[in-house]
Amino acid sequence: MMRRWLGQVGSGISLGLLILRSEIATAQVQENIRQLDENIQRLMATRGCDRCDLQAAQLGGKHLERVSLQTSDLRRANLQFVDLSFANLRGSSLQEVDLTSAHLRGTILMGSSLRQGVLTQAVLVDAQLQGVDLSEADLTGADLMGANLTDADLNRARLQTVQAQGAIALRSNFVWANLQGANFHGADLTGANFDHADLRGADLSGANLSGANLQDALISGAQIEGAIFCAAVMPDGTVSTQGCEAESAPTLDADR
């Protein structure tokens, strides 16, 4: 009898603890929603919310030109069609963010993380992307004309048909990236790493690829008229001297 009573008491305590935990979790969720709403209101009212928690915020289509969101948390936020032109998001967390067709002209994103972000058809003209993490991000059809991608990480990123004429991508990491049909005409790709990248049909005409690594890259159909390959490692492992003082043409395997 005592054992049965103790068992009933134990079951009651366990049930009570479960209910208490559920109530605490619900209260925490409600507090998080309240804080998110306050941060969004603050952003819209003051045009600034540095170090703000905006995780999963619904800001699609908002006009946020020139706002300050430095070192803020925007992970998994919905920013589709948002206008963040000339905004400052230096050092912010934007992993898995949705920036489909967003306007980011001149936006400061230096040191930010957009890992696995969606930036298809986004406008990033003249954006400051130095040191940004865009690994595994989808930038298909994005406009990167004049953007600064120095030391950016685009490992396994999808960059098909991007417009990156005149972009600066010194030492950028494009390992295993898909750049089919990308336009890098006149871009500065000095020291960039294209190991195993897919550059088929890309426009590299007039681009500077001095010291770049194209080991095992796929380059069939790529346009290279006027490109500089001085000290670049070509797909077959040879080192090019095209564009150096003692110039010779790079070896390009059209079947790759």
Side-chain angles (χ1 to χ4, degrees), residues 242-256:
Q242 180 172 324
C244 303
E245 290 184 8
E247 191 173 301
S248 65
T251 301
L252 296 180
D253 186 348
D255 295 325
R256 292 188 65 84

Side-chain angles (χ1 to χ4, degrees), residues 155-181:
N155 176 44
R156 297 182 184 276
R158 293 179 291 283
L159 295 138
Q160 299 99 307
T161 68
V162 297
Q163 300 299 309
Q165 299 96 310
I168 301 170
L170 309 178
R171 301 177 300 277
S172 294
N173 179 19
F174 293 98
V175 173
W176 288 103
N178 188 338
L179 297 119
Q180 289 187 51

Side-chain angles (χ1 to χ4, degrees), residues 14 53 81 129 140 142 152 180 187 193 224 237 248 254-255:
S14 297
D53 185 351
F81 300 97
L129 299 160
T140 303
Q180 289 187 51
N193 190 356
I224 62 166
S248 65
D255 295 325

Side-chain angles (χ1 to χ4, degrees), residues 86 104-110 114 119 122-132 134 139 142-152 154 159 162-172 174 183-190:
F86 304 104
L104 299 155
R105 180 184 294 271
T107 303
I108 300 171
L109 285 155
M110 291 184 288
L114 290 99
L119 295 96
V123 177
L124 292 141
V125 174
D126 297 324
Q128 298 184 39
L129 299 160
Q130 298 95 313
V132 72
L134 282 160
L139 293 102
D143 189 345
L144 289 156
M145 289 179 63
N148 193 331
L149 289 152
T150 297
D151 295 317
L154 294 114
L159 295 138
V162 297
Q163 300 299 309
Q165 299 96 310
I168 301 170
L170 309 178
R171 301 177 300 277
S172 294
F174 293 98
N183 189 342
F184 280 94
H185 174 77
D188 192 345
L189 302 166
T190 302

Side-chain angles (χ1 to χ4, degrees), residues 233-250:
V233 178
M234 305 311 291
D236 60 1
T238 60
V239 178
S240 172
T241 58
Q242 180 172 324
C244 303
E245 290 184 8
E247 191 173 301
S248 65

Side-chain angles (χ1 to χ4, degrees), residues 75-152:
R75 287 175 290 173
R76 299 180 300 282
N78 176 10
L79 299 173
Q80 294 183 18
F81 300 97
V82 73
D83 192 343
L84 280 162
S85 300
F86 304 104
N88 190 345
L89 287 93
R90 184 194 297 261
S92 291
S93 298
L94 295 111
Q95 294 95 321
E96 301 179 55
V97 71
D98 189 347
L99 282 159
T100 300
S101 298
H103 290 271
L104 299 155
R105 180 184 294 271
T107 303
I108 300 171
L109 285 155
M110 291 184 288
S112 295
S113 175
L114 290 99
R115 181 179 176 85
Q116 296 182 331
V118 178
L119 295 96
T120 54
Q121 306 298 324
V123 177
L124 292 141
V125 174
D126 297 324
Q128 298 184 39
L129 299 160
Q130 298 95 313
V132 72
D133 182 359
L134 282 160
S135 55
E136 301 181 62
D138 188 352
L139 293 102
T140 303
D143 189 345
L144 289 156
M145 289 179 63
N148 193 331
L149 289 152
T150 297
D151 295 317

